[in-house]
Amino acid sequence: MAGKKQYIVDERLWQKMISQESFSGEVKFMEPMKAHTYLQIGGEADVFACPQDTVSLENILAALNEERIPFVTVGGGTNILVKDGGIYGVVISLKNFRRSDIAKEEKDMVMFFAESGTPLQKLVSFSKENGYSGIEGLAGIPGSVGGAIAGNAGAFGYSIKNMLVSVRMTNPDKGIYEMSASELGLEYRASKLPEDTVILSANMRLRKDVKEDVAKRINSFLKRKRETQPLSEMSAGCVFKNPEGASAGRLIDEAGCKGMRIGNAEVSRMHANFFINKGNAKASDFLKLMDEVKKKVMKVFGTELEPEIRIMGRNVN
Ligand SMILES: Cc1cc2nc3c(=O)[nH]c(=O)nc-3n(C[C@H](O)[C@H](O)[C@H](O)COP(=O)(O)OP(=O)(O)OC[C@H]3O[C@@H](n4cnc5c(N)ncnc54)[C@H](O)[C@@H]3O)c2cc1C
């Protein structure tokens, strides 16, 4: 049926699969993903489900597995580009998984527990208020703890890997299980998170330090970030990973791409590795811009850029 959008799961099928008693939380149908991404780009997801608790999440995963319906998990939507044709299947948002607390306190360390939907900046603020060190370089990175783990977020030589002890997760085949941080294969902006696995929560270790020193480091990282990145504009952070020994932003800048624009997607004039939605940009324009920039960098430097942002969804028919 050319031109007509196909849904794999609609309201009727959802209600057949997921009984009212088995699910607590919010669910929306044909939900525009632009409402759930920092870039404010993206077509409709068949279903956008925000389970309230682990049981509801497990029930959805079991039903989707049984019906062979694809799903993706999102946190804050700050590192994703959703294509204009939207997402076929179910988007699971962990925004209701927000409990966090000190799990254990030792002489020099604290063990911190956070559910995956906890905003990363909540942990940074908590560390600043209490003088816990280890997380300073993550100051100003938007999004959730789950998203930060999935992509090993970091900056200024810090990454979430350095403080992570273990992660609790669930998978439609295995159920709930725990992995140590070392088993997750966290590398520069990447993890070996098994496919179809949803991060539920994490344990992180922070070091007790002088409160004023922690605050000073956080403030200085935030200042550097504000001075160099277009934080108030609609972006998804750095579009490309830094190639070995080089800065993707510098290569893009020196290849002459700053300010390059396709439709309403533009290479930031402030930081060339941030691409901005100047207003109602299409994912297709963003992708074309990525392609053009990649080609230019390849032509000038012979370097192949690899995306850091996660691209999901389908093209318009
Ligand atoms: C202005 C700006 C500045 C930024 N600065 C930085 C920076 O300095 N350093 C940096 O590393 N990043 C930066 N980013 C990118 C982004 O904020 C981080 O990558 C962030 O950690 C992503 O978290 P999120 O919750 O938004 O993830 P999302 O964008 O929602 O998802 C990202 C990926 O993680 C997966 N995921 C999310 N939650 C889960 C879960 N619970 N279980 C399994 N998989 C999950 C998704 O499927 C997706 O593949 C920046 C982004 C912006 C917009």
Side-chain angles (χ1 to χ4, degrees):
M1 251 195 282
K4 190 160 186 333
K5 189 171 170 184
Q6 298 288 297
Y7 294 92
I8 189 171
V9 41
D10 58 10
E11 191 163 353
R12 210 162 52 97
L13 176 56
W14 177 268
Q15 279 163 1
K16 208 171 124 205
M17 287 189 315
I18 318 271
S19 68
Q20 270 191 353
E21 309 76 64
S22 69
F23 178 78
S24 153
E26 307 124 62
V27 52
K28 291 177 175 170
F29 300 93
M30 297 163 63
E31 176 66 3
M33 284 303 292
K34 61 163 66 172
H36 303 283
T37 63
Y38 208 84
L39 252 182
Q40 294 186 29
I41 290 179
E44 291 169 350
D46 290 5
V47 180
F48 189 85
C50 311
Q52 194 61 44
D53 48 46
T54 312
V55 174
S56 300
L57 172 63
E58 291 278 281
N59 289 339
I60 306 180
L61 294 180
L64 298 179
N65 195 34
E66 176 134 351
E67 301 284 337
R68 296 273 165 249
I69 291 171
F71 74 90
V72 289
T73 313
V74 295
T78 66
N79 203 28
I80 54 176
L81 172 68
V82 178
K83 292 189 186 174
D84 300 313
I87 294 179
Y88 195 55
V90 177
V91 175
I92 298 177
S93 162
L94 277 271
K95 70 172 189 168
N96 294 326
F97 288 60
R98 278 177 179 241
R99 278 184 313 128
S100 60
D101 208 348
I102 291 182
K104 197 164 121 193
E105 200 161 346
E106 290 159 15
K107 192 165 161 275
D108 303 322
M109 312 289 262
V110 283
M111 186 75 96
F112 204 82
F113 162 86
E115 285 188 329
S116 62
T118 308
L120 189 60
Q121 291 316 299
K122 188 177 164 194
L123 299 193
V124 173
S125 302
F126 186 81
S127 305
K128 186 174 168 184
E129 280 155 25
N130 294 282
Y132 300 143
S133 176
I135 197 171
E136 293 92 320
L138 306 189
I141 301 180
S144 67
V145 167
I149 296 169
N152 189 24
F156 308 114
Y158 286 74
S159 79
I160 200 157
K161 173 184 178 179
N162 306 125
M163 51 193 256
L164 199 62
V165 176
S166 61
V167 176
R168 198 162 161 262
M169 51 189 92
T170 183
N171 172 305
D173 297 319
K174 286 169 94 171
I176 295 176
Y177 63 107
E178 194 154 319
M179 268 172 108
S180 68
S182 58
E183 287 173 300
L184 271 177
L186 296 171
E187 291 164 16
Y188 167 63
R189 303 297 165 267
S191 70
K192 293 197 171 66
L193 189 70
E195 209 170 314
D196 280 358
T197 298
V198 181
I199 297 169
L200 296 172
S201 63
N203 287 311
M204 289 161 273
R205 190 181 284 119
L206 296 169
R207 196 168 36 80
K208 291 184 185 170
D209 201 345
V210 178
K211 207 162 121 176
E212 289 70 27
D213 291 350
V214 174
K216 219 189 217 168
R217 286 194 289 273
I218 287 179
N219 292 340
S220 121
F221 287 134
L222 270 178
K223 184 167 176 282
R224 273 166 72 185
K225 216 167 154 63
R226 281 197 208 104
E227 283 167 357
T228 56
Q229 298 179 358
L231 300 182
S232 59
E233 298 204 73
M234 295 180 266
S235 80
C238 286
V239 173
F240 295 105
K241 291 185 184 179
N242 289 327
E244 189 86 42
S247 146
R250 187 162 306 139
L251 296 179
I252 297 169
D253 184 4
E254 287 173 9
C257 301
K258 260 192 180 166
M260 211 164 118
R261 184 165 176 155
I262 294 184
N264 279 339
E266 187 178 279
V267 177
S268 164
R269 290 164 201 274
M270 186 180 200
H271 189 311
N273 203 13
F274 278 63
F275 293 9
I276 310 296
N277 172 7
K278 298 301 281 184
N280 292 321
K282 291 198 189 108
S284 56
D285 292 334
F286 200 95
L287 288 164
K288 275 186 217 147
L289 189 61
M290 283 177 71
D291 212 42
E292 285 302 311
V293 166
K294 249 184 102 154
K295 279 189 198 144
K296 274 206 151 193
V297 169
M298 175 53 91
K299 196 166 163 205
V300 177
F301 297 103
T303 304
E304 169 123 36
L305 292 178
E306 193 194 320
E308 176 172 324
I309 56 170
R310 314 289 180 108
I311 299 163
M312 48 179 81
R314 56 187 177 164
N315 298 322
V316 178
N317 290 336

